[in-house]
Amino acid sequence: MIERIWSGESILWLILWPFSLIYGMISWLIRLSFQIGWRKIWRAPCPIVIVGNLTVGGNGKTPVVIWLVEALKQRGLHVGVVSRGYGGKAKCYPLLVTNETSTVEAGDEPVMIAWRTNVVVSVAPQRHIAVNALLKLYNLDLIICDDGLQHYGLYRDHEIVVIDGIRRFGNGCWLPAGPMRERASRLSTVHTIIINGGKAEEHEISMTLKPCQAVNLRTGQIISLNKLSFIVAIAGIGYPCRFFEMLTNEGIDVVAKFAFADHYIYNESELCNLIKENQCLLMTEKDAVKCRNFARPNWWYLPVNVHLQGSAVCTLLDDITKLCTSHHNLHSSINNNE
């Protein structure tokens, strides 16, 4: 129902429109308070790159964070990641993600990023606290913030916005009548725009998600996706249809599909009841980090890799690398003068 409202297919958005105006006014006042100095902006001693979006979830933001971490690591940069840790309830913050950290504590996305990239990840509702926690322990060249485009209390050196190329901005309304956190005009102030699926404009970077091989959640065995049979697919992500469509595009026959809410917390018996004895369960990597401790032998997950196209990709990486070099040279000069 909410998708129909946000896409404009249902006129129920008109009922919610007054609440959207309130949301928009509050958002504008928050941003204004930072712009005119009523509230202070905290600046880190290293570059901060924000990967965020203008709409609510399901745009492919976290896969872009993983791609960016890996691409910058290949350039020899020491990278850390911070996150709000949506859905997590840690006893205290900041929380440094380790192999033992559960998704209940940190949220699924921070655990997935740490699991996939093996970089240091810190979680805190106030992102500058998470940044400080990393910098006290590690000598990092830059920090990537997973989400946080609207977290204006943290100064950012480079902003990346990820947009669903198929859904774009729906009816264009602020929450709750539409999917927008900020107006589309905000794009004029960001550094990089990435379009996930659909058609990218000249100034945008085209992105596709390509499936890897299937990984057994219990044993770690890796096999070709087409070797799995009698598949029951589940997805608890912002836009589950994207996962199911990916399987269809790969020519994979699926016995049944089950969509769950984003950040859904699974339990063992619930998932066991979805499949029969001769069937296997296939899930997203984001789901897998929540199920790894009680996985059965016939449970698999499908990692995806981000593929970006266009000359702007090299420009993006070059610009961020230059940020790190500039900060390093500046601090070296200050230390030499002292």
Side-chain angles (χ1 to χ4, degrees):
M1 173 60 75
I2 196 66
E3 288 290 339
R4 294 188 69 249
I5 294 174
W6 286 354
S7 67
E9 295 177 10
S10 170
I11 62 171
L12 290 178
W13 69 269
L14 289 170
I15 299 175
L16 299 173
W17 184 65
F19 300 101
S20 292
L21 293 180
I22 297 172
Y23 178 95
M25 179 61 69
I26 293 173
S27 298
W28 177 78
L29 288 173
I30 291 174
R31 189 178 182 193
L32 179 66
S33 68
F34 287 106
Q35 290 176 332
I36 65 178
W38 287 350
R39 301 171 71 180
K40 298 299 180 183
I41 299 175
W42 185 83
R43 185 164 190 165
C46 74
I48 299 292
V49 177
I50 298 282
V51 181
N53 47 43
L54 298 185
T55 58
V56 176
N59 297 333
K61 167 183 55 63
T62 301
V64 170
V65 170
I66 292 172
W67 171 86
L68 187 59
V69 168
E70 297 292 358
L72 294 174
K73 281 170 62 180
Q74 289 179 9
R75 292 188 169 213
L77 297 176
H78 297 91
V79 184
V81 176
V82 298
S83 172
R84 177 191 173 191
Y86 185 86
K89 296 180 180 179
K91 293 180 180 178
C92 62
Y93 293 102
L95 173 67
L96 295 178
V97 179
T98 68
N99 291 333
E100 288 72 40
T101 304
S102 70
T103 56
V104 174
E105 296 173 292
D108 44 27
E109 288 163 348
V111 174
M112 184 177 92
I113 293 169
W115 190 20
R116 181 79 175 265
T117 66
N118 200 33
V119 299
V120 289
V121 179
S122 178
V123 173
Q126 297 295 320
R127 289 167 179 84
H128 74 275
I129 295 177
V131 171
N132 258 332
L134 289 183
L135 295 179
K136 286 180 180 178
L137 296 174
Y138 305 98
N139 183 22
L140 300 175
D141 295 309
L142 83 155
I143 291 176
I144 299 171
C145 185
D146 181 27
D147 210 353
L149 188 68
Q150 292 77 34
H151 188 73
Y152 289 109
L154 178 65
Y155 181 86
R156 63 286 312 272
D157 298 89
H158 194 104
E159 291 181 327
I160 300 171
V161 169
V162 184
I163 299 171
D164 185 309
I166 304 299
R167 295 179 296 167
R168 286 279 175 166
F169 305 123
N171 60 15
C173 292
W174 283 302
L175 291 165
M180 303 298 292
R181 295 173 172 177
E182 292 184 274
R183 289 293 195 192
S185 57
R186 175 72 166 85
L187 292 176
S188 64
T189 66
V190 306
H191 301 86
T192 304
I193 302 172
I194 297 176
I195 305 298
N196 182 9
K199 184 178 179 181
E201 303 294 334
E202 184 177 353
H203 63 289
E204 301 169 339
I205 295 176
S206 176
M207 165 184 163
T208 54
L209 292 172
K210 298 293 186 181
C212 303
Q213 292 182 298
V215 183
N216 189 278
L217 195 49
R218 184 152 176 181
T219 66
Q221 179 188 3
I222 300 174
I223 65 172
S224 175
L225 180 59
N226 57 24
K227 290 186 177 180
L228 294 179
S229 57
F230 303 105
I231 296 173
V232 173
I234 67 168
I237 55 178
Y239 190 48
C241 288
R242 180 177 287 119
F243 180 65
F244 301 141
E245 289 169 0
M246 180 186 296
L247 296 179
T248 300
N249 293 337
E250 291 296 313
I252 303 302
D253 292 326
V254 177
V255 175
K257 305 171 185 176
F258 296 94
F260 293 87
D262 197 11
H263 308 289
Y264 186 81
I265 299 176
Y266 299 100
N267 64 72
E268 182 179 0
S269 60
E270 175 184 38
L271 295 183
C272 287
N273 289 335
L274 295 181
I275 58 177
K276 298 177 181 178
E277 187 175 349
N278 65 331
Q279 297 174 340
C280 68
L281 191 66
L282 181 65
M283 64 187 71
T284 71
E285 190 172 17
K286 184 174 172 179
D287 295 313
V289 296
K290 294 178 285 190
C291 304
R292 55 183 175 171
N293 292 330
F294 53 81
R296 296 297 179 88
N298 57 339
W299 292 10
W300 300 79
Y301 72 92
L302 184 64
V304 295
N305 283 333
V306 166
H307 288 258
L308 302 181
Q309 297 178 336
S311 59
V313 179
C314 286
T315 303
L316 164 63
L317 296 176
D318 288 342
D319 288 346
I320 294 176
T321 303
K322 289 175 184 176
L323 279 174
C324 298
T325 302
S326 299
H327 273 256
H328 179 75
N329 292 339
L330 176 62
H331 283 280
S332 296
S333 176
I334 293 173
N335 292 334
N336 291 335
N337 290 335
E338 291 177 350

